[in-house]
Amino acid sequence: MNLKLAVVIMAAGKGTRLKSSRPKVLHEIGGKPLLRHVIAAAGQVVDPAHIFVVVGHQAERVKAAVAATGVRFVEQTDPRGTGHAIQCAREAVIGYEHILVLSGDVPLIRPETISQLWQFHLAEHAAMTILTAAPEDPTGYGRVLRKSTDGPEVDAIVEQKALTLEQQTVREINSGIYAFKTAPLFKHLGKLTANNAHAELYLTDMAGLLCSAQERVVAFELAGAGKGTAPAAEVLGANTIAELAALDATLRAATANRLMAAGVTIFRPETCVIDADVEVAPDTVIEPFVQLLGATRIGAECLIRSYTVVENCTLGNQVLLRQSCILSESTVADGAKIGPFAHLRPGSQIGEEVHIGNFVETKKARLDKGAKAGHLAYLGDAEVGEGSNIGAGVITCNYDGVHKHTTRIGKGVFVGSDSTLVAPIAVEDGAYIGAGSCITKDVPAGALAVARARQFSKEGWVAARRARQASQDQKASIPVSGNRHLP
Ligand code: UD1
Ligand code: CA
């Protein structure tokens, strides 16, 4: 079987320059590991079954992080350079006519650019096509030496450390992204030597080797700007923490621009942390210093006020999140009002027009339409029916030290302030609970439950006590004559 095209993503390196115990390709920008960005882009061009990720350093950890994408893996135990990485992929991809090689640490690459590179490679009938760019500062990158200034043909790629003084003026960089015809590639790949500064097998040396073998090597220079990103930003790599931070900033700026272009208002977008996959509908307003993370989806005409953090949540339309709320793994329906200082923990389902006020914490709690918990409550493993009111300081006692239990509150229930509901327990529709109650038995529909010590008032008690105290004080102050030590 002769297959047309596979993608190989090199992700086996250690990332020594990051000085981190985490493999480089699992460092995150825009809330996602570098490698996930590259796989997502490649997945727009070929089916994941034709994407081969070369893993080596902490291979199991890298595989586990991207296994769900459906890509395949190639092992490069004992990584000895980018050329060695492709040698290790030989078996897996030899049956394809061409391969596209991507770097796991060049994460902003767009699918459109990968497709353009592929088309250019085919049109040029090249054995090797190098994706290049000309950034302001090319320091650190391999430089591409063209045969002439006006043609696509390339003589060689020279790594930064091997550049002559004259070559240092070349601004055209190697992006680490290539297309190869597999037959000539694997015919000559064994000729690589580790005769260089890092004693590694450089894939970049294939440019010179293929040229010497009379094969066609060309450069495809990245021309325009990507969506909201500066030209060349798309192919910048991340070798240090500072470079990661720069790519993260570029990606987040692009995400904010994408949302604003779709009708979302973001005040001071540079202060907001918005992950790459977040979706927000038009006419929603996001105030400064908001964080929207993970797979968060926000509807239209919402207002997200400052210092609120939302992670992996789905919000409907016209939701108000006041300042300093934390929401994770939860859903909020249309017209709900939350905060300030509310904490929605995983599994909270906030219904339409529900009000969750300040210092209220919910966890695995479902509040139906119009329910209210205005102040200082804890609702864990709880259901609160339509229109019920949870007073200030109410607590569902869901944990007995071993197991979690459920509290079920029906429709139109009034739970007085500072009550504790000891689960498992049910409070049926329309019931009333007196403030300060400790409820340990189910409350029938429409009943009043009061479970607190009965109050008594002693009339005149304060005046009597004062009089008693005054007379004691007077006796104590009379001087004692004679022997002070006698009783
Ligand atoms: C490489 C290029 C350089 C180019 C730059 C673009 C070489 C020799 N140099 O340099 O010309 O300008 O990328 O970003 O290729 N990897 C493996 N196995 C290995 C070594 C590396 O899979 O044995 C992977 C790494 O995990 C990384 C990618 O290959 O994702 C690139 O390796 P890296 O060491 O970062 O190369 P650079 O020095 O950046
Ligand atoms: Ca790199």
Side-chain angles (χ1 to χ4, degrees), residues 10-13 17 24-25 54 76 79-82 85 103-106 141-142 157 159 174-176 178 202-204 237 239:
M10 302 183 292
R17 287 162 281 186
K24 172 160 65 177
V25 295
V54 185
Q76 186 193 12
R80 284 183 283 125
T82 45
S103 285
D105 68 343
V106 181
Y141 290 90
I157 301 172
E159 289 304 289
N174 165 29
S175 67
Y178 323 83
Y202 287 172
L203 184 59
T204 48
N239 295 319

Side-chain angles (χ1 to χ4, degrees), residues 1-6 50 92-93 95-98 182:
M1 185 167 52
N2 191 9
L3 296 157
K4 188 85 179 165
L5 177 67
H50 302 296
V93 300
Y96 293 86
E97 206 175 321
H98 302 268
T182 42

